[in-house]
Amino acid sequence: MAYMDRGVGVAAGFFSALLVALGLVGAGWLVGEGIIEGRKADSHVQVKGLAERDVKADLALWPIKFQVTGNDLAQIQARIETDLQTVQQFLRDSGFTEEEIQRQSLQIQDFGAGYGGNRPEERYGVSQSVLVRSEKVDQVEGVSRRLGELVAQGIVLQQDWNATGPTYVFTRLNEIKPDMLAEATASAREAANQFAEDAAAELGGIRDANQGVFVILPRDDVPGSSEQAQIFKTVRVVSTITYSLEN
């Protein structure tokens, strides 16, 4: 009887082990399938779409700064007022309205302060600036090249200030953003479709998208010329989009 019990026990143990082994095999197959399906579900491609557009500035900001020096503040003040009228008249004659010509703050410098007995020949300097703010960008560009006419009338321009010239601004970026984003998205999808075709896969839906940052660049890459100094500019956006891939 003991021998038979041991036989039954061995047989039971064998069948138990067999069931466990089959279970492990089945579990392994399921895990394997899970990994494969998981990898399929995780298949994706990330692409970038580019959109560019050439635009023209629609606002010009042009500061003109001039200075009078001397030792008598009252005389300097009188001269700076005369020079201001000369500058304003020059701008009016050039086609700018009173609303486009903005008088800025007056600045007074004491060149002799802190020098003790070694004061410069002219102690005081008074600076006045005028800001032209206009949507007539072509006109601003043309008139800004004629500053020599003011110099010929005795206006002392502060060269460090005026050498930079007008600043040209494009203010209608929000108007072109939707169309440019659509172009960037279409460009990205075209690239994703090509990738899917090469990979023998089907392009799925969008998993993630980053519209990117709009940047305004100079249209002409001229050394030493900034974007703000050019009337014509290029607006660019690069969108990053992730698509699912289906086998």
Side-chain angles (χ1 to χ4, degrees):
M1 291 296 294
Y3 176 77
M4 291 180 63
D5 290 341
R6 286 199 298 272
V8 172
V10 169
F14 172 76
F15 283 112
S16 297
L18 179 61
L19 290 174
V20 171
L22 290 174
L24 290 175
V25 170
W29 180 82
L30 291 174
V31 170
E33 283 296 298
I35 292 174
I36 293 172
E37 291 300 324
R39 286 174 178 171
K40 288 181 181 178
D42 190 54
S43 296
H44 64 275
V45 59
Q46 186 179 82
V47 291
K48 295 182 182 297
L50 170 67
E52 288 186 335
R53 186 165 298 184
D54 288 338
V55 298
K56 183 178 180 180
D58 54 278
L59 177 65
L61 303 172
W62 179 28
I64 304 173
K65 192 171 184 178
F66 48 96
Q67 184 181 51
V68 175
T69 58
N71 292 307
D72 189 314
L73 276 177
Q75 292 180 357
I76 296 174
Q77 177 66 27
R79 173 63 188 278
I80 204 75
E81 286 295 328
T82 300
D83 287 356
L84 174 62
Q85 294 175 17
T86 300
V87 172
Q88 290 174 326
Q89 189 61 49
F90 167 76
L91 294 172
R92 284 192 294 267
D93 292 343
S94 298
F96 297 108
T97 65
E98 295 291 344
E99 291 74 20
E100 294 172 313
I101 305 169
Q102 302 175 7
R103 178 176 180 171
Q104 304 296 292
S105 60
L106 194 72
Q107 296 179 337
I108 301 176
Q109 292 178 282
D110 185 354
F111 300 130
Y115 280 84
N118 299 320
R119 290 181 178 178
E121 184 177 346
E122 292 181 316
R123 176 171 179 175
Y124 299 107
V126 177
S127 299
Q128 176 69 64
S129 59
V130 171
L131 176 66
V132 178
R133 189 181 191 278
S134 174
E135 296 179 358
K136 297 176 283 195
V137 294
D138 293 323
Q139 189 167 329
V140 169
E141 183 185 34
V143 177
S144 66
R145 302 179 188 278
R146 296 167 41 210
L147 284 179
E149 297 178 24
L150 287 175
V151 176
Q153 296 183 62
I155 306 298
V156 180
L157 299 172
Q158 289 192 293
Q159 293 302 319
D160 291 344
W161 180 275
N162 297 287
T164 57
T167 294
Y168 300 104
V169 183
F170 178 67
T171 66
R172 299 196 299 270
L173 180 60
N174 287 336
E175 296 178 14
I176 65 174
K177 275 185 175 182
D179 288 343
M180 290 191 65
L181 286 174
E183 291 176 16
T185 302
S187 173
R189 188 168 188 85
E190 182 179 355
N193 274 321
Q194 184 61 54
F195 182 91
E197 182 179 339
D198 295 341
E202 293 291 333
L203 192 65
I206 294 177
R207 295 181 50 178
D208 185 54
N210 184 338
Q211 76 168 28
V213 178
F214 282 83
V215 294
I216 301 179
L217 307 168
R219 186 192 67 177
D220 303 314
D221 189 12
V222 180
S225 178
S226 66
E227 169 265 317
Q228 293 183 335
Q230 294 189 21
I231 291 180
F232 294 97
K233 310 170 187 294
T234 297
V235 180
R236 175 183 297 167
V237 63
V238 178
S239 297
T240 304
I241 302 178
T242 302
Y243 292 92
S244 296
L245 291 177
E246 301 171 359
N247 294 327

